Amino acid sequence: MTTIDLGTIRRLVSVTVDDVEHRVPEGATIMDVLDGAGCDTPRLCQAPNLTPVNACRVCVVEVEGSRPLVPSCARRVEDGMVVRTGTERVTHSRRMVLELLASANDLSEAGADVARWQIEYGADPERYGPPGPPAAAGERGNRHAGHHSIPDGETRATVAQPVVVDNDLYVRDYARCILCYKCVEACGTDAQNTFAIAVAGRGFDATISTEFAVPLPDSACVYCGNCIGVCPTGALKSVAEHERREAGVWDPEGETVTNTVCSFCGVGCTLELHVQDNTIVNVTSPSDHSVTHGHLCIKGRFGFQHVQNVAHDGPR
């Protein structure tokens, strides 16, 4: 007699999105329904391999019976739920979030989707005035909790500051950090369970930091780079990518991606080799892979120099 594993059986519930009824499995999120319906829902803190943290609030929708707008990435569907995505309230909220993020952060490396959403929702960060001067290295992290600067009324506040390079594998560009918490989740229970980083500070001076703000080599970091893999804005990137961008030779349009299997151990992680100018510049893994779920170890993500002959007097 053959036994067939049907997995977890979930009943279907009825959800109405913009006057169209959908039958979806119980326990799905509103974003799951929207994605299945082909809706272009903005998102920055959501990832399929991470627990939703509702940080960016750019995916909010209107749910009948709910006073506040709800984050579609985390809200579970209920039978009979009525969702609206294109109301004036939703559009205004999304525009304001995108606008405020772009006014304080450098989103130039956040990807084509983010740039398209800014145009689609009419986000205009320039209306807050020209950006204020950048902070000196370490200045924002050394301010006491609750610190508030008196605005000059002419420039907008930004998180601009020098890039932190304190190791040989990756850099921290806090001028691009939107506090989406994805790196914290990847370093924590969602992937690595190292807990080397967390949010420190308060208000506008909140930032992602190591314990006691020590350099990465002195922290609990194991250099898996899973924080890089989930960062949506380029705030975390490999040293190889950073050096190529600084040298003006970063070429994503000419990049090819080749799948292979990591040879360092017998786990069988699938690697995606990102190659530019016949040189491996980054290594990632598919988020839907049954083994890695998008996450790698230090060897899989950074241990590729042995497969190519690369001079070390220029960009890596």
Side-chain angles (χ1 to χ4, degrees), residues 236-305:
L236 295 168
K237 62 173 72 73
S238 67
V239 169
E241 178 177 340
H242 173 68
E243 290 181 346
R244 283 179 168 268
R245 286 184 181 275
E246 289 294 298
V249 294
W250 181 251
D251 182 25
E253 289 77 16
E255 182 176 283
T256 60
V257 181
T258 302
N259 283 12
T260 186
V261 177
C262 185
S263 60
F264 280 107
C265 73
V267 172
C269 297
T270 291
L271 305 182
E272 297 172 323
L273 306 183
H274 298 252
V275 178
Q276 296 182 16
D277 192 25
N278 204 32
T279 301
I280 300 174
V281 294
N282 276 324
V283 177
T284 58
S285 187
S287 61
D288 60 352
H289 189 261
S290 60
V291 175
T292 67
H293 302 288
H295 306 302
L296 294 170
C297 72
I298 182 175
K299 294 179 180 179
R301 193 176 300 275
F302 297 112
F304 53 81
Q305 294 295 343

Side-chain angles (χ1 to χ4, degrees), residues 135-159:
E139 177 185 343
R140 294 185 70 243
N142 291 328
R143 293 171 183 166
H144 66 272
H147 165 84
H148 293 283
S149 298
I150 300 176
D152 59 17
E154 297 181 357
T155 60
R156 67 177 189 262
T158 73
V159 294

Side-chain angles (χ1 to χ4, degrees), residues 22 78 92 111 124 218 235 266:
H22 301 270
E78 300 170 8
H92 178 76
D124 180 21
D218 299 330

Side-chain angles (χ1 to χ4, degrees), residues 107-130:
L107 300 184
S108 61
E109 295 179 14
D113 283 340
V114 176
R116 176 171 53 81
W117 291 329
Q118 286 182 283
I119 296 173
E120 179 181 338
Y121 287 94
D124 180 21
E126 300 303 320
R127 72 188 183 95
Y128 296 104

